[in-house]
């Protein structure tokens, strides 16, 4: 597939790309040409991006084009449009849902099996973005969306470890309401904003990755990296690695699930806090529990220790309060995010009440 020049775009001249596969910003700008390719098969697309450190994939474009062309916080020399690749199907085999990375949010939300067996997944999709965006936005792109941290997305802010490694973190000392309290530290408190990833992480979903050297499967719980000293490195993906499928083991029949999203307004808004819960209750006892949190983590947050509190315990509000306390045991807060600790606890208790139907 020949490359063609797409357009001119503003490009910073501090140069270089980070290991998360996203370019860094610079303060001065020059005009440069952006190459564009739209291959028809996966191997060609992977080769195009693997062999060029200035290249990246373009799926629905709802994040990538904002960052590149509108906000100017990443710089790229080549966009490889993957929307023609045959990765759109959604199938079920042996109780596992296989989602092509190019299926849209809307297509997945419309699947009857999702409604029947994992309604929290549908809730998470339908409470995200807007109908227009959900028609364009892909599942792979959703999992790889970048943080909404205002300092990261404002190229005039010179201090941001994620954008300019080693520069510091503006959010820890500034207004930071939409930021994380779990998996955060003074280096970065950027929130992972995907609702879908929270719902999937609760179900032990995994991603199939196609790279230059072959395929591999990575559980979603191991896919995202805590910021630590390298907030700019966000996932285990290397240059050119493409998510091809997401596999979701469906929970046992009889499991009830819900995604509860608390936000400033009821549509078109990111979560302040959220919780995905799936419970299998037998004779009033919780036989199996899955719990994941959004709006609070630097990565989609699986609340494993809280699940241990829930499993084998009576489905009661006391149990839910104990689980919520454990889930929020070691938060890292700044003045702007301190309110989230109590809000997240209440979100957990409420979603568990809703799923279980418990009144006491
Ligand atoms: P693109 O923008 O095309 O790509 C995003 C990133 O993923 C890029 O880095 C690209 O290179 C990479 N990429 C894409 N596909 C692959 C692949 N298969 N393999 C490897 N890399 C890939 N999300 C929520 O969860 N909840 C919300 O409430 C919400 N609200 C939003 C509100 C607004 C106004 C906007 C603009 C977005 C919102 N989003 C929300 C985020 C939205 O869901 C994502 O922008 C979208 O899912 C990204 O998918 P895309 O196909 O457009 O990805
Ligand atoms: Fe940058 Fe992370 Fe700090 Fe936001 S929270 S300013 S992304 S380092």
């Amino acid at each position: 597939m020949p490359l063609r020049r797409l357009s001119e775009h503003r490009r910073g001249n501090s140069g270089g790309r980070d290991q998360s596969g996203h370019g860094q910003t610079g303060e001065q700008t020059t005009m440069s040409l952006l190459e564009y390719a739209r291959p028809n098969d996966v191997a060609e697309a992977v080769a195009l991006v693997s062999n060029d450190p200035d290249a990246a994939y373009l799926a629905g474009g709802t994040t990538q084009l904002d960052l590149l062309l509108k906000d100017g916080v990443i710089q790229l020399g080549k966009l490889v449009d993957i929307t023609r690749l045959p990765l759109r199907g959604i199938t079920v085999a042996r109780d596992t849902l296989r989602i092509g990375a190019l299926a849209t949010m809307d297509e997945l939300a419309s699947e009857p099996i999702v409604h029947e067996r994992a309604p929290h997944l549908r809730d998470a999709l339908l409470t995200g973005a807007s109908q227009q965006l959900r028609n364009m936005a892909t599942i792979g792109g959703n999992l790889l969306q970048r943080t909404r941290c205002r300092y990261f997305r404002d190229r005039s802010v010179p201090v941001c470890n994620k954008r300019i490694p080693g520069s510091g973190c503006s959010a820890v000392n500034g207004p930071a309401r939409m930021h994380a309290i779990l998996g955060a530290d003074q280096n970065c408190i950027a929130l992972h904003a995907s609702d879908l990833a929270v719902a999937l992480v609760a179900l032990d979903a995994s991603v199939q990755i196609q790279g230059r050297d072959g395929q591999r499967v990575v559980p979603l719980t191991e896919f995202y990296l805590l910021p630590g000293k390298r907030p700019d490195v966000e996932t285990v993906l290397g240059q050119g690695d493409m998510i091809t499928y997401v596999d979701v083991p469906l929970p046992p029949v009889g499991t009830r699930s819900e995604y509860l999203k608390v936000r400033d307004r009821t549509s078109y808004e990111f979560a302040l806090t959220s919780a995905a819960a799936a419970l299998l209750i037998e004779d009033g006892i919780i036989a199996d529990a899955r719990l994941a949190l959004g709006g609070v983590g630097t990565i989609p947050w699986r609340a494993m220790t809280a699940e241990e509190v829930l499993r084998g315990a009576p489905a009661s509000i006391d149990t839910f309060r104990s689980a919520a306390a454990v889930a929020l045991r070691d938060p890292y807060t700044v003045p702007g995010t301190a309110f989230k600790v109590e809000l997240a606890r209440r979100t957990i208790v409420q979603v568990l009440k809703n799923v279980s139907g418990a009144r006491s």
Side-chain angles (χ1 to χ4, degrees):
M1 152 88 38
L3 295 175
R4 63 190 170 93
R5 305 290 190 194
L6 178 67
S7 66
E8 289 188 328
H9 73 120
R10 272 195 316 180
R11 201 169 178 201
N13 61 359
S14 64
R17 291 172 52 78
D18 63 32
Q19 287 178 13
S20 61
H22 305 282
Q24 301 166 18
T25 190
E27 294 313 311
Q28 296 172 24
T29 60
T30 56
M31 298 300 283
S32 73
L33 292 173
L34 179 63
E35 291 179 343
Y36 171 82
R38 192 161 57 168
N40 291 314
D41 73 82
V42 171
E44 188 184 352
V46 169
L48 280 169
V49 179
S50 300
N51 295 331
D52 182 350
D54 277 337
Y57 297 118
L58 176 70
T62 62
T63 287
Q64 188 73 308
L65 294 180
D66 272 3
L67 293 170
L68 181 66
L69 301 176
K70 199 174 106 202
D71 302 331
V73 294
I74 60 170
Q75 51 176 276
L76 294 169
K78 186 192 296 170
L79 273 180
V80 176
D81 182 338
I82 56 175
T83 52
R84 278 195 186 162
L85 303 183
L87 296 174
R88 204 157 174 158
I90 302 170
T91 54
V92 189
R94 283 187 232 101
D95 258 8
T96 297
L97 184 67
R98 167 158 281 205
I99 309 163
L102 291 173
T104 65
M105 291 171 72
D106 188 62
E107 286 164 350
L108 183 57
S110 306
E111 278 295 322
I113 189 81
V114 172
H115 185 50
E116 284 161 28
R117 297 286 298 279
H120 74 287
L121 195 50
R122 185 170 172 271
D123 300 341
L125 288 159
L126 293 182
T127 56
S130 65
Q131 184 62 55
Q132 290 93 331
L133 285 162
R134 293 193 293 269
N135 288 340
M136 289 294 294
T138 65
I139 299 308
N142 186 296
L143 297 181
L144 290 169
Q145 66 177 278
R146 308 218 53 205
T147 183
R148 313 303 292 191
C149 173
R150 58 196 283 185
Y151 310 101
F152 172 76
R153 287 184 177 247
D154 182 347
R155 66 197 303 274
S156 70
V157 173
V159 176
C160 170
N161 281 328
K162 195 181 276 297
R163 190 159 40 80
I164 309 165
S167 61
C169 174
S170 292
V172 290
N173 297 315
R177 193 160 180 270
M178 301 297 286
H179 285 74
I181 57 173
L182 298 176
D185 62 24
Q186 73 284 356
N187 293 313
C188 182
I189 58 171
L191 191 66
H192 196 283
S194 168
D195 295 296
L196 171 68
V198 173
L200 288 175
V201 98
L203 292 185
D204 290 321
S206 55
V207 286
Q208 185 169 308
I209 298 166
Q210 180 71 52
R212 189 171 29 191
D213 302 323
Q215 283 182 4
R216 65 192 198 276
V217 174
V218 178
L220 217 47
T221 45
E222 296 167 22
F223 179 76
Y224 296 104
L225 302 176
L226 291 171
K229 290 193 166 43
R230 291 297 306 271
D232 54 316
V233 184
E234 297 176 353
T235 70
V236 299
L237 293 182
Q239 177 67 24
D241 282 348
M242 181 193 294
I243 297 178
T244 47
Y245 295 97
V246 180
D247 287 330
V248 190
L250 292 167
V253 173
T255 302
R256 295 178 60 186
S257 71
E258 183 177 305
Y259 183 74
L260 179 63
K261 180 171 175 178
V262 179
R263 48 194 163 161
D264 282 330
R265 53 182 184 183
T266 51
S267 72
Y268 206 29
E269 185 57 281
F270 289 93
L272 286 171
T273 59
S274 71
L279 296 180
L280 181 64
I281 299 173
E282 292 169 349
D283 299 327
I285 301 298
I286 302 168
D288 192 23
R290 317 288 186 86
L291 185 66
L293 310 179
V296 289
T298 51
I299 59 175
W301 198 262
R302 178 86 180 258
M304 300 270 193
T305 49
E307 289 177 359
E308 284 165 21
V309 171
L310 293 167
R311 282 193 198 104
S316 69
I317 292 171
D318 279 349
T319 300
F320 302 156
R321 286 196 183 119
S322 303
V326 166
L328 274 299
R329 199 153 44 195
D330 295 311
Y332 176 89
T333 61
V334 296
T337 58
F339 75 100
K340 285 196 171 190
V341 179
E342 183 57 23
L343 188 61
R345 280 195 197 115
R346 291 179 188 214
T347 308
I348 293 171
V349 172
Q350 188 62 51
V351 77
L352 293 170
K353 274 168 73 175
N354 295 351
V355 172
S356 65
R359 293 283 168 269
S360 61

